[in-house]
């Protein structure tokens, strides 16, 4: 997508469509736990290292999403937010969510799962970001064009960071984002539970091995 290809629209993107995609992806991730097993032996040094790295990425995701929602919560599609995390990337929430998806794959102990979940999240959020950009272009016009001209669409550039001295935020949006983050964190005990059940013979053997 190039900036020149954006077509201004007057209606905001229906976020329910994105939520449907995300929930379907979550269901597929759960099936991944039951139908597959990681190539690295569960409990091995390599497997534990991937789990730890994955957990760190999930934590980065949760903290990053909370940080981002402090700036945009309650203002999305109403104001053009260009400070804090939004000064380094146009889509910090989607960036951190993709990091979380990769982390979930690593928590499972599979590089393939991390790559698959990361790419799926990236393309879903990329399509959503385009729709949102078309609405913001129609709403804010030249101001938005100036913003996207200097701000990366997805990958953050920390050297662009700038902020205000004071910040007002929506406690309701912050609480909702915190609860959403619990879904990411819940994957770790879920993986440990599945591994335990499989090791003790309480769960049927996996059909596919993912490396």
């Amino acid at each position: 997508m190039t900036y020149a290809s954006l077509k201004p629209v007057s209606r905001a993107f229906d976020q329910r469509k994105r939520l449907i995609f995300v929930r379907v992806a979550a269901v597929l991730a759960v099936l991944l736990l039951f139908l597959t097993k990681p190539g690295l032996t569960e409990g091995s040094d390599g497997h534990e290292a991937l789990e730890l790295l994955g957990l760190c990425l999930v934590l980065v995701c949760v903290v990053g999403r909370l940080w981002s929602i402090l700036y945009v919560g309650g203002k999305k599609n109403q104001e053009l937010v260009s400070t804090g995390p939004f000064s380094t990337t146009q889509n910090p929430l989607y960036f951190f969510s993709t990091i979380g998806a990769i982390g979930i794959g690593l928590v499972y102990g599979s590089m393939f799962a991390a790559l698959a979940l990361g790419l799926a999240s990236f393309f879903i959020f990329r399509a959503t970001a385009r729709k949102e950009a078309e609405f913001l272009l129609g709403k804010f016009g030249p101001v938005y064009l100036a913003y996207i001209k200097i701000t990366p669409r997805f990958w953050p550039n920390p050297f662009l960071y700038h902020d205000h001295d004071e910040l007002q935020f929506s406690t309701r949006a912050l609480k909702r984002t915190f609860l959403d983050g619990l879904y990411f964190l819940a994957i770790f005990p879920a993986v440990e539970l599945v591994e335990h059940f499989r090791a003790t013979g309480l769960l049927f053997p996996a059909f596919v091995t993912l490396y």
Side-chain angles (χ1 to χ4, degrees):
M1 180 186 80
T2 61
Y3 295 140
S5 69
L6 291 177
K7 299 178 180 179
V9 297
S10 58
R11 293 184 60 186
F13 176 72
D14 187 355
Q15 292 292 335
R16 288 176 297 180
K17 295 179 180 179
R18 176 181 61 81
L19 290 175
I20 290 173
F21 279 117
V22 171
R23 287 167 183 170
V24 169
V27 171
L28 293 176
V30 171
L31 289 177
L32 189 75
L33 294 177
F34 291 97
L35 302 180
T36 67
K37 67 177 182 179
L40 293 172
T41 303
E42 295 170 355
S44 66
D45 291 341
H47 185 275
E48 294 299 314
L50 283 185
E51 277 193 347
L52 179 59
L53 176 59
L55 180 59
C56 290
L57 291 183
V58 169
L59 291 175
V60 168
C61 163
V62 173
V63 173
R65 283 178 55 82
L66 288 172
W67 179 40
S68 301
I69 213 67
L70 284 175
Y71 288 79
V72 78
K75 305 174 186 176
K76 193 167 187 178
N77 297 329
Q78 302 300 320
E79 298 180 18
L80 180 58
V81 180
S82 59
T83 57
F86 290 88
S87 65
T88 64
T89 170
Q90 298 170 37
N91 299 286
L93 281 164
Y94 296 160
F95 170 75
F96 286 116
S97 294
T98 301
I99 292 296
I102 295 172
I104 288 173
L106 293 178
V107 165
Y108 186 62
S110 168
M111 293 293 292
F112 178 84
L115 179 63
L117 291 174
L119 286 176
S121 298
F122 174 79
F123 285 112
I124 289 172
F125 292 136
R126 186 175 186 266
T128 304
R130 179 191 174 96
K131 295 295 184 182
E132 292 180 344
E134 290 174 343
F135 171 75
L136 293 173
L137 178 60
K139 186 175 181 66
F140 298 106
V143 177
Y144 183 68
L145 280 177
Y147 168 67
I148 64 177
K149 187 176 293 186
I150 62 173
T151 311
R153 191 187 331 159
F154 188 78
W155 302 107
N157 180 353
F159 295 105
L160 297 175
Y161 183 84
H162 61 273
D163 207 345
H164 293 308
D165 293 332
E166 296 182 356
L167 176 67
Q168 292 183 335
F169 62 91
S170 167
T171 55
R172 181 179 179 183
L174 188 65
K175 179 181 178 181
R176 184 172 62 247
T177 303
F178 173 75
L179 294 176
D180 288 343
L182 295 181
Y183 287 103
F184 285 94
L185 294 175
I187 195 66
F188 187 74
V191 168
E192 293 296 318
L193 193 61
V194 169
E195 289 179 353
H196 172 73
F197 284 161
R198 187 165 285 144
T200 56
L202 296 177
L203 193 65
F204 53 81
F207 295 106
V208 180
T209 300
L210 293 181
Y211 291 93

